[in-house]
Amino acid sequence: MTDDAQRRALEESLHPGMGAGDDGRGQNSPSTSGVRRALGTTIGEFHGNSCGLGEVVISFEDVHKSFGKNTVYRGMNLDVRLGETLTIIGGSGQGKSVCLKLMIGLLQADAGKVLYYGHDVADMDAEALRQVRMRVSMVFQGGALFDSMTIGQNVGYALREHTDMSDAEIRERAVESLELVGLGPSTHRGIMDQVPAALSGGMVKRVALARSIALRPEVILYDEPTTGLDPSNCNRIARMIRKLQRELGVTSIVVTHDMTTAWYVADRVAMLYDKQFPFVDEVEAFRAIENPVVRDFIEGRTS
Amino acid sequence: MSDPKSDAPPAKKPGIRDWAEGVGANINETIRWCGGMAVMFGQAMARGPRRPWGLFDISYQILQLGIRSIPVTTMMSIFVGMILAWQFGEALADFGATNSIGYVTSLALVRELVPTLLAVTVGTKMATGMTAELGSMKVTEQIDAIAALGADPIKKLVWPRLVAACVAMPLLVAWGNVIAMLGGMLISEAVFDIPAGYFYNSYIDELEPIHYVMSQTKALVFGALAGIIGCYQGFSTKFGTEAVGQSTTETVIAVSVLVLIADFALTALFIPI
């Protein structure tokens, strides 16, 4: 399952850019580096702070969050390292998605800090938050594609919002992003001008993925990417998450309760239990955890 | 803490205490609601009038809210004009003063009935449309998605609708005033034998510039109310499709009630004792 060769390839593709501190990544993947440089979503640097591969890029410090009487987090701590794929598992309705929304400031913690490169997301002004949201993009559970726009406009939305690219350029970038998720016009004729309502569930998720990578983000947050899909589509999405990590060098955080996907995509696994993340470890070590709570969950037993 | 026991007394009747608690909670909720709406209005006014202007979105909304409402506006106005002329004519006939029908109808229509009636019908229609659309976007996380892509939902969604409602409503009221007058002319000619031309002359004669200003000011305020209530209700929709229906229903009530309250306030402002 865990593909060591793949991971080594990833690290090699990332290291030159990281180590030398220049934008040498360009030589490895010319299709993406130009975009990154143009958009300013370079990996490992933000507002003067830099972060090496494997160092903590996003961290939660003693975060408390509740909705009315429903407490979601109590003294929660979690670190996300640059370049890794962290999978967050846990039962439905416990608020796994909430931590994704905390990371990009869609929700605010009641207490504690959510740090991105050491900056507290809650203290950021609108401009800093905009920059964070360009660099950390989220793939929503239901896709959340804009119904009133075509697929091409959906995928190009962020580019239209944040760059002064011409319509032709935006379209070109949108095609490029769609090709990366295997939905390019070369194989799916006319997809650019279709509306979201005309697509199947799996395609909606892939288009949502394409939309979130249009800006070549540094971190991608996946909110239940495989929920509600058939096994072959689950598989396809899981492989796509791996592929994007490999080709774009992104850090991924995947919230899921589908263990097959979790094992396949993850470098590390974190389990939400009792409003915290008491179990966080590398995949192999996590599988070996003897705690009955973890065993019951990953083996699907009802206790 | 009370433990539920089998021999506990039967469910107590709703007493005065519960009632008082309910009243408190309701008042609290209403104040919160007003506050939330005021905050959204403030945000829209602060972030809206900046580059990029989003003229395409605004004109699209004006088309949606304004042009699409012309048929219903026309129908409402012609009937209210005809009905009011008939009612006044009937009353004036008792004094043998039917020839002053134009004078009396003009003030009631232009200052009061056309703006208010259009606000509670067309304004509510606009507001519910916004609530349903934005509410659906909210429950499918599309509003979060706009924010997550680094854009501002207030600027992208609320501002164009608010501006469009503020532009469309006065235009519709102006159109409605003309149509209502035509309805009055029709009835005065057909029912009370007052020539339409005379009705027209007396109607216009009675109106002063301040009355047009009053009519348009009311329209502007009602348009803004419809716009902000529609958007706020959409944005504050809870989870699930059922919630969309619920907040849409609340929008109807909120717009109707607030329009009448605002109408009272504006009338008191323009016609001091």
Side-chain angles (χ1 to χ4, degrees):
Chain A
M1 279 277 196
T2 46
D3 195 340
D4 279 339
Q6 218 174 48
R7 199 164 310 151
R8 235 173 288 131
L10 162 75
E11 282 177 10
E12 268 163 32
S13 76
L14 281 168
H15 266 310
M18 296 305 127
D22 58 21
D23 40 18
R25 245 181 66 74
Q27 279 96 51
N28 290 328
S29 45
S31 65
T32 61
S33 64
V35 186
R36 276 206 193 289
R37 222 174 299 135
L39 298 172
T41 51
T42 43
I43 292 180
E45 272 178 36
F46 179 68
H47 276 244
N49 297 28
S50 63
C51 178
L53 197 69
E55 287 174 23
V56 175
V57 57
I58 298 174
S59 69
F60 293 86
E61 287 179 5
D62 193 27
V63 168
H64 294 249
K65 177 73 189 170
S66 46
F67 298 96
K69 285 174 186 153
N70 179 18
T71 305
V72 177
Y73 295 125
R74 192 183 298 129
M76 180 268 271
N77 291 289
L78 184 68
D79 287 339
V80 181
R81 300 174 191 160
L82 192 70
E84 74 171 351
T85 300
L86 175 70
T87 300
I88 294 174
I89 59 174
S92 297
Q94 290 186 3
K96 299 188 297 294
S97 320
V98 172
C99 82
L100 300 186
K101 293 186 179 177
L102 286 169
M103 285 183 211
I104 49 174
L106 289 180
L107 293 172
Q108 306 267 317
D110 298 336
K113 287 179 178 170
V114 183
L115 302 170
Y116 178 69
Y117 279 88
H119 301 281
D120 193 344
V121 175
D123 293 340
M124 288 182 182
D125 59 10
E127 175 56 24
L129 207 53
R130 190 182 72 90
Q131 287 176 4
V132 170
R133 287 171 179 174
M134 281 174 73
R135 302 167 59 97
V136 183
S137 74
M138 179 157 175
V139 183
F140 287 87
Q141 188 169 357
L145 297 182
F146 305 129
D147 293 327
S148 54
M149 299 179 191
T150 65
I151 300 304
Q153 289 168 333
N154 260 292
V155 177
Y157 188 87
L159 294 168
R160 185 163 288 113
E161 211 39 53
H162 301 297
T163 68
D164 43 16
M165 288 183 188
S166 67
D167 284 1
E169 264 181 295
I170 290 176
R171 199 179 163 84
E172 208 175 288
R173 295 279 181 227
V175 168
E176 204 181 313
S177 297
L178 282 169
E179 295 286 358
L180 271 170
V181 298
L183 280 176
S186 58
T187 48
H188 294 73
R189 186 177 283 276
I191 189 154
M192 292 287 281
D193 300 313
Q194 278 182 325
V195 290
L199 301 185
S200 71
M203 283 164 91
V204 165
K205 295 232 167 152
R206 283 195 280 161
V207 172
L209 194 45
R211 181 176 69 180
S212 71
I213 59 173
L215 276 178
R216 297 292 179 270
E218 180 182 42
V219 182
I220 304 182
L221 315 175
Y222 299 89
D223 189 359
E224 313 239 350
T226 56
T227 303
L229 296 183
D230 58 84
S232 77
N233 261 318
C234 283
N235 221 325
R236 183 183 279 155
I237 296 277
R239 265 183 285 135
M240 213 149 276
I241 293 173
R242 269 270 173 235
K243 177 180 159 213
L244 290 176
Q245 190 198 17
R246 204 166 54 235
E247 291 184 8
L248 303 179
V250 295
T251 308
S252 314
I253 301 165
V254 185
V255 161
T256 185
H257 45 228
D258 170 23
M259 289 317 297
T260 321
T261 314
W263 296 136
Y264 180 73
V265 300
D267 296 324
R268 288 198 307 150
V269 181
M271 183 172 163
L272 177 59
Y273 178 72
D274 196 23
K275 321 202 186 303
Q276 290 177 358
F277 289 103
F279 311 107
V280 186
D281 220 326
E282 309 271 329
V283 170
E284 289 310 318
F286 195 91
R287 279 170 174 259
I289 292 178
E290 288 298 331
N291 189 303
V293 173
V294 177
R295 297 249 56 95
D296 284 352
F297 190 86
I298 61 182
E299 284 161 20
R301 276 198 298 262
T302 48
S303 51
Chain B
M1 286 293 139
S2 62
D3 228 26
K5 286 176 191 161
S6 53
D7 60 341
K12 59 174 177 172
K13 285 179 284 181
I16 192 139
R17 188 171 156 181
D18 294 339
W19 179 82
E21 270 178 12
V23 167
N26 278 336
I27 291 175
N28 204 340
E29 206 172 301
T30 309
I31 292 173
R32 260 173 213 279
W33 184 81
C34 292
M37 209 166 62
V39 167
M40 179 180 265
F41 186 75
Q43 285 175 331
M45 295 317 276
R47 302 185 203 162
R50 284 188 197 172
R51 289 167 60 80
W53 304 113
L55 291 180
F56 176 82
D57 285 344
I58 293 176
S59 32
Y60 178 78
Q61 289 300 329
I62 291 179
L63 188 78
Q64 287 289 318
L65 302 174
I67 311 283
R68 299 266 161 86
S69 300
I70 288 180
V72 64
T73 304
T74 309
M75 210 184 92
M76 296 294 304
S77 306
I78 192 146
F79 274 99
V80 70
M82 292 198 300
I83 293 163
L84 201 76
W86 202 316
Q87 293 276 8
F88 274 149
E90 201 61 39
L92 289 168
D94 291 347
F95 306 101
T98 38
N99 57 351
S100 59
I101 183 171
Y103 289 110
V104 285
T105 42
S106 66
L107 285 184
L109 280 175
V110 171
R111 290 200 306 202
E112 190 57 54
L113 276 172
V114 171
T116 311
L117 208 66
L118 288 185
V120 289
T121 52
V122 180
T124 310
K125 168 179 170 275
M126 292 176 180
T128 48
M130 293 177 206
T131 304
E133 190 189 358
L134 297 180
S136 311
M137 288 182 75
K138 166 87 180 190
V139 298
T140 54
E141 295 189 307
Q142 289 178 50
I143 293 181
D144 276 346
I146 290 182
L149 287 167
D152 181 1
I154 301 273
K155 164 86 184 171
K156 287 277 153 190
L157 299 174
V158 177
W159 173 248
R161 284 170 175 78
L162 190 59
V163 172
C166 289
V167 171
M169 205 66 209
L171 291 177
L172 288 172
V173 166
W175 170 250
N177 275 329
V178 173
I179 298 295
M181 187 185 71
L182 292 179
M185 284 161 72
L186 187 70
I187 293 302
S188 78
E189 172 92 47
V191 180
F192 299 105
D193 284 335
I194 309 293
Y198 180 76
F199 180 92
Y200 173 80
N201 283 330
S202 57
Y203 192 97
I204 298 296
D205 190 38
E206 180 67 21
L207 292 172
E208 291 164 24
I210 185 71
H211 299 138
Y212 297 107
V213 172
M214 189 165 169
S215 185
Q216 289 294 292
T217 310
K218 283 188 175 180
L220 180 72
V221 172
F222 298 162
L225 271 176
I228 198 69
I229 294 174
C231 291
Y232 181 71
Q233 286 286 105
F235 268 59
S236 55
T237 301
K238 301 277 184 308
F239 308 102
T241 41
E242 199 187 339
V244 179
Q246 197 185 342
S247 51
T248 310
T249 314
E250 285 167 5
T251 300
V252 176
I253 308 296
V255 172
S256 316
V257 170
L258 281 189
V259 156
L260 283 179
I261 294 175
D263 189 26
F264 180 81
L266 286 170
T267 305
L269 183 76
F270 275 97
I271 313 179
I273 316 162

